[in-house]
Amino acid sequence: MKLRLFFTVVGLSFLLAAFAHYFTENEMFQFITASISVVFLAAWLGKSTENVAHYAGDRIGGFLNATFGNAAELIIAFFLVKEGLFEMVKASITGAIIGNMLLVLGLSVLMGGLKFKEQKFNRQLAGHNASLMTLAIVALFIPAVFMRELPPVKIETLSIVIAVLLIIAYVLWLIFSMITHSDFLSDIEEHESEAVWSKGISILMLATSTVFVAIVSEWLVHGVQHVSQSMGWSELFVGAFVIAIIGNAAEHSAALLLAMKGRIGAAVEIAIGSSLQIALFVAPTLVLVSLLLGKPMDIVFTPYELAAIGVATFITISITKDGATNWFEGVLLLTVYIILGTAFFFA
């Protein structure tokens, strides 16, 4: 009964967004309905991913959770690149990274901590995550430092080189974490998940939900510039917080529910793993995709964006390094997120 109600809401939200896109000219209404629809579709995508992960196993399942959990962000960013809205793309990448580390992880740690006095997870995995995020900061920092010294053509070349290296590093990390050292990086406790659908239906649901997310994401991008201008919001704020929060809907729900079930290790993997995939795979991929679209995008982020990613990484490493969490640490993460959101709003 609950599943039927869920799909009814998903269907109605999609139909409303379609009506607004094709039969109205109010761009604000189009943006709002598309945003609502993306949130429900992301929840459908997250549920589909969880079911596929049940049949695929823990390591591959974790990878699928990260990949399809970020599908909404990747698809939205693709259409932003297609429209040439590069500053908003970079802002949305920044927002996705800090949103996962601060908002998603913060809420998960807070709500899980209110139910359990202390929750523990794999310390070795936390250490490797910290090293990978440091790599991402270095890779984003270098182009910004050399930006004033190099001509545009060389900046573009530097961006391509860094993008390729980050993708290689991410692929090697998957091999390390999923194959050669999977036991070393496994969670402290094993948990069994229940599948709602059969293996075939789960794969079909995953493919179908991804297609619908792609469709509505294009509608969302169509009205985002108008909303930014009419509300007086900067592209930086819209990309880093509005679009990022909408795109992170799947991770929000999945990580929060897992933390409240005492599975903080899985919640941390979703939050930080998603940030890593955005920084090491999604962002570099968008740079390469922009070349194919004939609209080259560099990987030079603004000082505001670099500062936000750096601060988010610093507080996340500080909180997760001991392999244990409590509700107050969740408060700290959320406080930093609100501070950054306020600063981006006025920037």
Side-chain angles (χ1 to χ4, degrees), residues 112-322:
L114 291 175
K115 189 173 182 180
F116 303 95
K117 189 172 183 179
E118 184 179 68
Q119 292 182 293
K120 296 183 178 181
F121 57 95
N122 191 300
R123 291 182 63 181
Q124 286 84 3
L125 181 60
H128 283 289
N129 285 338
S131 298
L132 285 166
M133 282 311 304
T134 303
L135 168 64
I137 292 174
V138 170
L140 297 178
F141 180 75
I142 293 300
V145 171
F146 285 89
M147 179 178 63
R148 295 181 181 178
E149 302 295 331
L150 297 176
V153 175
K154 291 186 177 180
I155 284 289
E156 184 180 319
T157 304
L158 177 61
S159 298
I160 295 170
V161 171
I162 291 175
V164 172
L165 289 174
L166 287 180
I167 291 173
I168 292 173
Y170 183 70
V171 172
L172 292 176
W173 161 246
L174 293 179
I175 294 172
F176 177 83
S177 63
M178 294 172 60
I179 300 175
T180 66
H181 289 68
S182 59
D183 295 336
F184 177 71
L185 298 175
S186 62
D187 200 3
I188 293 173
E189 297 181 4
E190 296 294 331
H191 300 269
E192 294 184 0
S193 58
E194 296 182 2
V196 179
W197 306 303
S198 66
K199 184 177 181 179
I201 295 296
S202 297
I203 295 173
L204 178 63
M205 286 289 186
L206 185 59
T208 305
S209 59
T210 302
V211 170
F212 276 96
V213 168
I215 293 171
V216 181
S217 294
E218 186 175 14
W219 299 345
L220 179 68
V221 171
H222 178 74
V224 73
Q225 274 186 307
H226 171 77
V227 172
S228 175
Q229 293 169 359
S230 63
M231 298 295 291
W233 295 344
S234 66
E235 288 190 0
L236 185 64
F237 177 75
V238 172
F241 286 85
V242 179
I243 291 178
I245 289 174
I246 294 169
N248 278 336
E251 286 98 330
H252 291 167
S253 56
L256 191 61
L257 291 173
L258 286 168
M260 293 178 70
K261 292 178 181 177
R263 298 181 59 186
I264 192 63
V268 169
E269 187 173 348
I270 288 175
I272 299 182
S274 294
S275 290
L276 287 173
Q277 190 175 76
I278 290 290
L280 301 178
F281 183 76
V282 173
T285 297
L286 290 171
V287 171
L288 301 181
V289 166
S290 69
L291 296 176
L292 299 176
L293 295 175
K295 299 178 179 179
M297 181 183 78
D298 59 46
I299 202 167
V300 179
F301 283 68
T302 67
Y304 296 126
E305 293 163 341
L306 292 174
I309 295 173
V311 167
T313 301
F314 175 77
I315 186 69
T316 302
I317 290 174
S318 176
I319 283 174
T320 59
K321 65 182 180 181
D322 60 350

Side-chain angles (χ1 to χ4, degrees), residues 11-172:
L12 290 175
S13 68
F14 176 79
L15 291 175
L16 182 60
F19 173 80
H21 181 74
Y22 289 109
F23 298 103
T24 70
E25 296 182 358
N26 188 324
E27 292 181 314
M28 179 64 75
F29 182 57
Q30 292 174 354
F31 179 81
I32 292 173
T33 54
S35 298
I36 294 172
S37 183
V38 164
V39 169
F40 284 112
L41 288 169
W44 178 20
L45 191 149
K47 195 172 190 65
S48 303
T49 304
E50 185 181 348
N51 277 266
V52 171
H54 171 81
Y55 297 102
D58 290 339
R59 302 311 304 173
I60 298 177
F63 171 70
L64 289 174
N65 269 295
T67 302
F68 286 94
N70 285 327
E73 289 101 316
L74 179 59
I75 294 167
I76 291 172
F78 170 79
F79 286 112
L80 289 172
V81 169
K82 190 177 178 181
E83 294 294 324
L85 301 173
F86 298 146
E87 295 308 312
M88 195 172 289
V89 172
K90 295 172 188 176
S92 67
I93 291 170
T94 301
I97 293 171
I98 66 175
N100 277 306
M101 285 196 289
L102 299 178
L103 180 60
V104 177
L105 184 60
L107 282 174
S108 301
V109 171
L110 173 61
M111 299 308 294
L114 291 175
K115 189 173 182 180
F116 303 95
K117 189 172 183 179
E118 184 179 68
Q119 292 182 293
K120 296 183 178 181
F121 57 95
N122 191 300
R123 291 182 63 181
Q124 286 84 3
L125 181 60
H128 283 289
N129 285 338
S131 298
L132 285 166
M133 282 311 304
T134 303
L135 168 64
I137 292 174
V138 170
L140 297 178
F141 180 75
I142 293 300
V145 171
F146 285 89
M147 179 178 63
R148 295 181 181 178
E149 302 295 331
L150 297 176
V153 175
K154 291 186 177 180
I155 284 289
E156 184 180 319
T157 304
L158 177 61
S159 298
I160 295 170
V161 171
I162 291 175
V164 172
L165 289 174
L166 287 180
I167 291 173
I168 292 173
Y170 183 70
V171 172
L172 292 176

